[in-house]
Amino acid sequence: MNNPLASTKASWPDILDRQHLPLLLTLCLAMWLHATNTLLTATTMPSAVQELGGLNLISWTFALYLMGSILAGAASSILVVRHGLRTTMICAALIYVAGSVVCATAVNMPVVLVGRTLQGLGGGCLVGTVFIAQSRFFQPEHVPRVMAMISVVWMLATFASPMIGGAFSTWADWRYAFWAFAVQAVLLAVIIRFMMCADGSAASRSTARLPFIRLGLLAMAILMMSAAGVEFHTALSPILVISGVASIVVFVYRDAHSESDRMFPRRISDLRSQFTSGILTILLLCLSIMSLATYGPFILIELHGMTPFTAGLILMLESLAWGIMALAFASTPSKHEHLLIRYGSALVLIGLVACAVTFPYGPIWLIAVSAMVSTGGFGMMWGFIIKRIQGFSPREEKDRASSLLPITQQMGFALGAALCGLVANSLGLVTGLSVDRIQMVAFWIFAGFVPLALCGNLTAWRFSR
């Protein structure tokens, strides 16, 4: 089976016409708001700490944003069923505004953490609803192109947000960066209000309640994995990661056996289904590519003598590869999409092995190529994985399946970062910075994930049958 849905021929003008373009740009703006604030604190928080103090809390500005993002994304399908897509997106944008304003007016670092949590809740819900809207308003044959456009926005956001934050912190005030994104979120809410039609009557909507116990399990899992990576402890950190994974397993089991308040498709617990193979492919491969983002700049600076700016360029090339490959292969005929999934997953594995070989010794140009191969492979298959997962989902499960996609991606990133921290610190990175030790770490933070990438390739082949 090469295609879960029968597809007709499609082209770029189909999604760039007057009917679809305004909606596509709105979804891109929503994704921009979330993606930029993921890394905005990298260059705003140093200035914030100088003013407010709280250096020991700085890593939690990302961890709590991630937690809020995953929780809200997980609940987005229920919120859409209860309140409608338009209302949910507007409320998410306003929560994001509130978080931005709290950060911009913070008097100490704990208040900043509250603001970052609110930003994560708003941004995560926006991302979940973007995927739901994409599945509702675009035909399956349009999905690879829509996701290619969204991937380009994500790519631009990942390397633009540190520069935006740095520019405000350097030439103005770090608080203005959060004000700027608050204004953009208000604009998004206004656009959604007047452009998107209300979906369904109030009487036709579900009365399902938010499953707070399951959301608590998910929050606990994220916080435990984040804590394991924030501050390494030989005995405690592995326990935190294992406990976090166990909490996710319990969450998935409980959710699959729930009824009206179920957040994800029931089939997610069926390891024999192609749907679950697709979800596992996303999780395992996202987990496998986090080493570069987590420790790549540190290794490039300490081992190869690069400046922070040039190390950042390597990360920019990595993001660029994802977006370019997504655009380049978006028009691939449906009969070949199973090959893109298989070849893309293979490139992720090849790039990971290449990074393990090149990062300890160089040369720099080969390090850059290795990083681009890995993320480029992900970019070429990403839209087609999404198309197939949504295609495997029955109509009544499509919103749940759509909201599950970004959550799986972010959970993979969170778990990958935590495991990468365990690998690096267990090899003694915190005890010394000798060349030999850094070279050993540079090898194993990539090589250690090769088995997981292999498993991701196996699930990708099963998924694309």
Side-chain angles (χ1 to χ4, degrees), residues 285 339-349 373-374 376-378 380-381 457:
L285 295 182
L339 296 177
L340 291 184
I341 295 173
R342 295 176 181 181
Y343 295 158
S345 62
L347 284 176
V348 173
L349 175 61
V373 167
S374 188
F378 222 125
M380 71 184 288
M381 66 177 177
N457 271 255

Side-chain angles (χ1 to χ4, degrees), residues 254-308:
R254 287 178 63 97
D255 191 71
H257 290 80
S258 300
E259 295 299 332
S260 61
D261 60 352
R262 187 161 41 86
M263 291 182 281
F264 297 146
R266 197 180 302 278
R267 284 193 300 168
I268 191 176
S269 62
D270 182 5
L271 298 178
R272 298 168 297 177
S273 70
Q274 284 183 281
F275 176 88
T276 304
S277 294
I279 296 300
L280 287 175
T281 298
I282 295 174
L283 179 68
L284 290 167
L285 295 182
C286 283
L287 190 156
S288 300
I289 63 172
M290 275 304 292
S291 298
L292 179 60
T294 307
Y295 282 101
F298 171 81
I299 292 170
L300 291 171
I301 293 168
E302 296 292 334
L303 197 58
H304 299 287
M306 298 181 71
T307 65

Side-chain angles (χ1 to χ4, degrees), residues 12 174 188 272 357 376:
W12 280 104
W174 64 272
L188 175 64
R272 298 168 297 177
V357 174

Side-chain angles (χ1 to χ4, degrees), residues 172-185:
D173 190 305
W174 64 272
R175 297 177 185 272
Y176 293 165
F178 291 99
W179 283 117
F181 283 99
V183 171
Q184 294 175 60

Side-chain angles (χ1 to χ4, degrees), residues 35-45 116 119 161-162 164-166 168 177-178 181:
T36 46
N37 265 268
T38 301
L39 296 176
L40 184 69
T41 53
T43 48
T44 55
M45 285 303 101
R116 288 293 289 169
Q119 278 192 312
S161 55
I164 293 172
F168 278 111
F178 291 99
F181 283 99

